[in-house]
């Protein structure tokens, strides 16, 4: 083989190698596309437990009953001021120095709610109606309050026995006094409402009150109970 033939052979060999390499590149690309076509996808979504539930949140809510003797149909949810009407009896509209008037009511965890821990978190004079003779700041500041947990309607009265209850607000406290300690509302069974908890409030116009300008005045005190998830 002469030099020309050798050169021609080498040239053809290089071309063949380049062709094989090119074929390999094409084959490699083709293989990648072929494998992609065989890809299988599996999707999952979030659930909760064996009953096909979805992730979510529980219910935490309470309700009140201010209408003794606390019939089942008088439970209401009052999240805004002024809220439910706490009845201190007719005598509360014509207080004399030394008078004390009482109002029973109940709180409970609503149907489907988890257990709650409740606090008397706020006590203040209402802003509706506006301050004036019908909502007197002077009378609000003159009155005192006492409150109990677990004192029922029968004992939430002048002749009742409040010694079996827990003190929520100590005797002779100013009306803006908040609760001394939280208390529990139990969850009901099988989605029912929880057992009611009795509360009792007492308003007093102290015996030593001598300010004659308080005569003919009225006032609207407010109390806000708040709850958090219980144990």
């Amino acid at each position: 083989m002469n030099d020309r033939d050798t050169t021609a052979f080498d040239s053809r060999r290089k071309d063949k190698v380049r062709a094989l390499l090119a074929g390999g590149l094409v084959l490699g690309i083709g293989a990648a596309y072929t494998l992609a076509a065989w890809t299988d996808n599996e999707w999952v979504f979030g659930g909760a437990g064996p009953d096909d539930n979805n992730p979510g949140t529980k219910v935490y809510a309470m309700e009140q009953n201010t209408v003794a003797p606390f019939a089942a149909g008088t439970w209401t949810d009052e999240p805004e001021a002024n809220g439910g009407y706490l009845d201190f009896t007719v005598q509360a509209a014509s207080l004399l120095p030394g008078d004390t008037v009482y109002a029973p009511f109940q709180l409970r965890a609503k149907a489907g709610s988890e257990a709650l821990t409740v606090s008397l978190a706020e006590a203040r004079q209402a802003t509706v109606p506006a301050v004036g003779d019908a909502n007197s700041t002077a009378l609000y500041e003159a009155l005192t309050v006492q409150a109990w947990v677990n004192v029922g309607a029968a004992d939430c009265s002048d002749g009742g026995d409040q010694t079996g209850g827990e003190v929520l607000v100590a005797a002779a406290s100013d009306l803006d006094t908040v609760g001394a300690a939280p208390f529990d509302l139990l969850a009901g069974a099988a989605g029912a409402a929880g057992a009611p908890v009795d509360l009792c409030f007492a308003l007093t116009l102290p015996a030593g009150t001598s300010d004659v300008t308080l005569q003919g005045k009225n006032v609207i005190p407010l109390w806000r109970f708040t709850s958090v998830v219980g144990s």
Side-chain angles (χ1 to χ4, degrees), residues 9-94:
F9 175 79
D10 290 342
S11 177
R12 287 193 301 271
R13 184 177 181 182
K14 291 177 181 178
D15 289 343
K16 186 176 181 180
V17 171
R18 282 196 294 268
L20 287 172
L21 290 174
L25 289 172
V26 171
L27 178 60
I29 295 172
Y33 277 110
T34 301
L35 289 174
W38 293 344
T39 298
D40 180 33
N41 297 307
E42 298 289 341
W43 288 83
V44 295
F45 72 96
D51 298 323
D52 295 330
N53 295 318
N54 294 327
T57 57
K58 293 182 177 179
V59 175
Y60 306 99
M62 59 183 172
E63 57 189 353
Q64 61 176 283
N65 192 341
T66 61
V67 186
F70 306 126
T74 53
W75 287 94
T76 61
D77 188 4
E78 305 288 347
E80 304 293 337
N82 290 346
Y85 177 74
L86 202 57
D87 189 359
F88 282 96
T89 74
V90 173
Q91 184 186 358
S94 55

Side-chain angles (χ1 to χ4, degrees), residues 82 124-140 216-222:
N82 290 346
R124 62 178 174 84
Q125 184 181 359
T127 57
V128 178
V131 172
D133 286 352
N135 188 16
S136 167
T137 298
L139 183 56
Y140 180 86
K217 302 294 194 298
N218 299 91
V219 68
I220 302 176
L222 297 180

Side-chain angles (χ1 to χ4, degrees), residues 136-225:
S136 167
T137 298
L139 183 56
Y140 180 86
E141 293 174 349
L143 292 170
T144 64
V145 66
Q146 186 171 10
W148 301 265
V149 180
N150 294 324
V151 170
D155 286 317
C156 190
S157 62
D158 190 43
D161 180 10
Q162 295 90 39
T163 58
E166 295 84 49
V167 173
L168 182 64
V169 178
S173 294
D174 294 338
L175 261 61
D176 58 2
T177 303
V178 298
F183 57 94
D184 294 328
L185 300 181
L186 299 179
V197 171
D198 291 304
L199 295 106
C200 177
F201 272 52
L203 287 180
T204 299
L205 183 61
T209 302
S210 59
D211 185 355
V212 296
T213 66
L214 296 178
Q215 296 180 53
K217 302 294 194 298
N218 299 91
V219 68
I220 302 176
L222 297 180
W223 294 277
R224 176 174 62 86
F225 289 85

